[in-house]
């Protein structure tokens, strides 16, 4: 961009000098000449290539050819940048923040989700911006704006409406930045007309379903044969905003890498776009399983089939096998810190220092020792079991061969059942288990199949 601006500035100065020199000639009759003005050049990244601009170029045709060459070269650079990981440009309307997953970015926000592929992988657009949902967490709204106006006296309702309007407007702007399929039809000034439903507000994620306005205008098309065809509404989106200060619990860069591996096998929801503190995913028309569903024998069989397909469908990387079972890596990572905390709490119980339970946060004082026995006994038991388990597998070399790609969090809240309709293949008895979809791969890693089974039940 800076190269083109410098070039235009130089051309204007040369033309200005030429006009001044002609104005002093007695036989000169001024002739209007075309000027290159008000041209807006977008999505051009400067690569630092040096170009020689001849001071003798005065002909407008040659000048325009030079501009065309510059634009063509930069467009080629832009296309080539989609084939290798690049660092994205920062957004201008969200607060900026550094992130450990910045180096993961592949492509840029000029990529349109679910349309571009490189080496068989969907190129997921990304933006280095932060989507702030903090002001809406204490409110339960998010529905599309209705005709019922809030009274000025209701300060809480007014603040709630203002917070949701700002949040939803930023969501629409972010969908435009990421070029999410169909969502550029939603005008930027219609943020209040989208519907945002919060599904959860847990420690690690805040999850929302984002629905487009119901009365979007018809967008004219260049193709006459399709201009009269009904246009589909933009698809619903699943918006996931990461919880604050959970980087020590979840490796977001690793999670995104896993989602890409799953996408190659068409497992789980498609990743549509990412930003610094969250992502957009494909929304499934499904219901979440309940605890009572897990007591149905046929459902348990279907879950077992799906987990077997997951274990067999995703190949582990060599470094994942070399690192060993994730359950023990997690134990080694946290055991020292847990020992400090649990030992202190146990001392309060053993020596009667805990005091009375005055609130719900003090219920631990009634339960006794944290692990049921003193910490030293508990840790020693786990270490003995670890050694016994490795011996049962025939040593670490054989245990390494038994590792599979495990979900590690198959509780019923992470299992969805699709609601197929019409003549969907999912309605066939042989495919009924495929109605089940596993989501939330935050803890996915290499483990033995038995741990997946034990964790589920």
């Amino acid at each position: 961009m800076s190269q083109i601006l410098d070039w235009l500035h130089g051309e204007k100065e040369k033309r200005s000098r030429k006009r001044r020199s002609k104005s002093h000639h007695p036989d000169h009759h001024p002739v209007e000449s075309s000027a290159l003005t008000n041209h807006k050049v977008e999505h051009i990244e400067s690569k630092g290539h040096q170009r020689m601009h001849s001071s003798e170029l005065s002909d407008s045709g040659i000048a325009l050819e030079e501009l065309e060459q510059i634009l063509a070269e930069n467009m080629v650079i832009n296309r080539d940048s989609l084939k290798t990981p690049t660092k994205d440009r920062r957004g201008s309307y969200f607060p900026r923040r550094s992130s450990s997953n910045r180096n993961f970015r592949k492509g840029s926000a000029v990529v349109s989700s679910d349309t571009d592929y490189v080496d068989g992988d969907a190129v997921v657009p990304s933006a280095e911006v932060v989507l702030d949902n903090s002001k809406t967490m204490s409110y339960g709204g998010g529905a599309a704006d209705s005709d019922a106006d809030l009274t000025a006296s209701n300060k809480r309702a007014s603040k709630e409406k203002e917070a949701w309007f700002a949040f939803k407007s930023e969501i629409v702007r972010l969908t435009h930045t990421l070029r999410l399929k169909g969502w550029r039809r939603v005008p930027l000034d219609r943020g209040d007309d989208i519907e945002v439903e919060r599904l959860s507000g847990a420690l690690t994620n805040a999850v929302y379903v984002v629905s487009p306005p119901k009365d979007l205008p018809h967008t004219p098309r260049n193709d006459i044969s399709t201009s009269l065809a009904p246009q589909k509404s933009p698809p619903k989106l699943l918006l996931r905003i990461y919880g604050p200060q959970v980087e020590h619990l979840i490796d977001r860069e690793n999670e995104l890498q896993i989602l890409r591996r799953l996408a190659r096998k068409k497992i789980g929801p498609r990743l549509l776009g990412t930003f610094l503190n969250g992502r957009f995913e494909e929304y499934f028309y499904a219901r979440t399983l309940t605890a009572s569903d897990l007591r149905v024998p046929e459902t348990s069989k279907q879950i077992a089939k799906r987990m077997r397909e997951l274990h067999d469908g995703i190949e582990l990387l060599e470094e994942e096998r070399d690192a060993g079972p994730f359950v023990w890596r997690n134990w080694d990572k946290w055991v020292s810190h847990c020992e400090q905390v649990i030992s202190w709490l146990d001392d309060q119980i053993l020596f009667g220092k805990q005091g009375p339970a005055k609130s719900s946060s003090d219920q631990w004082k009634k339960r006794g020792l944290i692990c049921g026995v003193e910490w030293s006994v508990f840790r020693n038991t786990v270490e003995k079991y670890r050694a016994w388990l490795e011996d049962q597998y025939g040593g670490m070399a054989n245990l390494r061969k038994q590792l599979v790609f495990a979900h590690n969090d198959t509780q019923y809240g992470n299992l969805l059942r699709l609601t197929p309709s019409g003549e969907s293949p999912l309605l066939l008895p042989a495919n009924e288990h495929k109605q089940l979809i596993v989501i939330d791969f935050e803890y996915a890693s290499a483990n033995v199949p038995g741990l997946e089974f034990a964790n589920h039940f």
Side-chain angles (χ1 to χ4, degrees):
M1 177 65 81
S2 61
Q3 297 174 23
I4 293 179
L5 292 177
D6 292 340
W7 180 85
L8 290 173
H9 182 69
E11 287 298 315
K12 290 179 180 179
E13 286 187 348
K14 285 189 286 184
R15 295 189 182 195
S16 178
R17 289 195 299 269
K18 185 176 181 179
R19 285 195 296 268
R20 286 197 300 267
S21 63
K22 289 184 177 182
S23 63
H24 295 301
H25 196 281
D27 298 329
H28 173 69
H29 297 283
V31 179
E32 294 183 359
S33 61
S34 61
L36 184 63
T37 59
N38 298 327
H39 279 257
K40 183 179 180 181
V41 182
E42 299 178 336
H43 302 302
I44 297 180
E45 300 175 0
S46 175
K47 294 295 181 179
H49 297 301
Q50 295 182 352
R51 292 181 175 86
M52 300 301 294
H53 301 291
S54 174
S55 60
E56 298 178 357
L57 288 177
S58 59
D59 182 80
S60 60
I62 298 177
L64 289 177
E65 288 179 3
E66 184 178 355
L67 175 59
E68 183 180 6
Q69 181 181 358
I70 295 174
L71 291 174
E73 291 177 1
N74 279 278
M75 289 176 68
V76 170
I77 292 173
N78 257 352
R79 287 196 297 267
D80 289 343
S81 68
L82 298 179
K83 300 180 181 179
T84 56
T86 59
K87 184 172 291 187
D88 304 305
R89 297 178 295 279
R90 293 184 179 271
S92 59
Y93 49 85
F94 294 101
R96 297 181 179 182
R97 189 180 76 174
S98 61
S99 174
S100 61
N101 65 4
R102 183 177 304 166
N103 294 330
F104 169 74
R105 307 295 173 187
K106 185 176 184 180
S108 66
V110 300
V111 181
S112 179
S113 70
D114 202 27
T115 57
D116 296 278
Y117 293 83
V118 174
D119 297 330
D121 291 342
V123 180
V124 180
S126 60
E128 289 196 14
V129 297
V130 173
L131 184 57
D132 183 12
N133 67 327
S134 60
K135 295 182 180 179
T136 63
M137 293 301 289
S138 57
Y139 301 121
D145 191 27
S146 62
D147 295 334
D149 293 329
L150 298 172
T151 60
S153 59
N154 191 340
K155 293 183 179 180
R156 177 177 172 81
S158 179
K159 287 183 178 180
E160 177 179 355
K161 181 178 181 180
E162 182 179 349
W164 276 107
F165 174 74
F167 180 51
K168 293 194 291 184
S169 296
E170 288 188 348
I171 290 175
V172 173
R173 296 169 75 179
L174 186 52
T175 62
H176 280 239
T177 301
L178 295 173
R179 300 171 65 87
L180 299 187
K181 189 175 182 180
W183 275 82
R184 281 174 291 168
R185 289 179 52 209
V186 181
L188 291 173
D189 59 356
R190 293 199 60 183
D192 213 23
D193 294 330
I194 69 172
E195 185 173 339
V196 179
E197 177 187 1
R198 186 164 63 225
L199 299 182
S200 68
L203 172 66
T204 57
N205 287 311
V207 183
Y208 304 87
V209 177
V210 182
S211 304
K214 297 179 180 179
D215 57 344
L216 279 179
H218 186 84
T219 303
R221 300 175 180 175
N222 296 329
D223 188 352
I224 299 178
S225 62
T226 60
S227 61
L228 299 179
Q231 290 182 322
K232 291 183 179 180
S233 178
K236 285 187 176 182
L237 304 171
L238 191 77
L239 169 61
R240 190 180 301 273
I241 299 181
Y242 307 145
Q245 300 178 350
V246 295
E247 290 82 1
H248 59 289
L249 294 176
I250 299 172
D251 185 344
R252 295 297 183 187
E253 179 178 346
N254 180 66
E255 182 187 8
L256 292 176
Q257 293 281 10
I258 287 175
L259 290 176
R260 289 194 186 279
R261 292 164 64 186
L262 293 170
R264 298 187 194 118
K265 301 290 185 178
K266 301 187 183 300
I267 298 176
R270 288 199 307 272
L271 190 61
L272 303 179
T274 67
F275 48 99
L276 286 182
N277 66 322
R279 62 182 184 261
F280 287 99
E281 299 175 8
E282 175 187 11
Y283 174 76
F284 289 124
Y285 289 88
R287 69 172 183 86
T288 306
L289 295 191
T290 63
S292 59
D293 290 328
L294 301 187
R295 297 184 176 94
V296 179
E298 188 60 31
T299 300
S300 291
K301 292 179 182 178
Q302 294 172 0
I303 294 174
K305 287 183 179 180
R306 289 305 266 171
M307 299 315 299
R308 177 62 181 271
E309 290 172 355
L310 175 65
H311 294 169
D312 293 345
I314 304 297
E315 290 289 336
L316 286 177
L317 306 177
E318 285 301 312
E319 54 265 30
E320 290 174 326
R321 290 193 179 277
D322 293 339
F326 180 77
V327 60
W328 294 130
R329 287 192 285 128
N330 216 26
W331 167 270
D332 294 337
K333 176 181 178 181
W334 289 98
V335 65
S336 296
H337 181 69
C338 289
E339 180 168 330
Q340 295 177 5
V341 175
I342 295 175
S343 296
W344 183 88
L345 292 173
D346 282 351
D347 285 345
Q348 311 308 303
I349 299 295
L350 294 173
F351 299 104
K353 300 177 182 179
Q354 74 272 27
K358 297 181 179 180
S359 64
S360 58
S361 61
D362 294 333
Q363 292 304 307
W364 64 273
K365 299 177 180 180
K366 297 180 179 181
R367 289 193 291 265
L369 297 174
I370 303 302
C371 298
V373 295
E374 293 186 41
W375 168 256
S376 58
V377 176
F378 177 79
R379 179 171 182 175
N380 186 50
T381 302
V382 172
E383 297 292 353
K384 287 183 177 179
Y385 173 72
R386 181 175 183 174
W388 174 85
L389 192 62
E390 292 177 2
D391 183 64
Q392 294 301 304
Y393 276 95
M396 283 302 299
N398 288 332
L399 177 59
R400 180 183 183 277
K401 298 177 182 178
Q402 298 297 320
L403 295 177
V404 298
F405 181 89
H407 183 273
N408 297 322
D409 194 19
T410 51
Q411 46 95 5
Y412 55 81
N414 287 335
L415 296 169
L416 306 180
R417 183 178 290 280
L418 293 173
T419 53
S421 59
E423 299 179 356
S424 172
L426 294 177
L427 294 175
L428 297 175
N431 295 333
E432 190 174 356
H433 72 285
K434 294 185 178 180
Q435 295 177 12
L436 294 179
I437 295 178
V438 186
I439 61 172
D440 288 1
F441 288 83
E442 297 166 317
Y443 304 106
S445 56
N447 261 325
V448 292
L451 186 134
E452 192 90 285
F453 179 87
N455 183 63
H456 174 70
F457 291 100

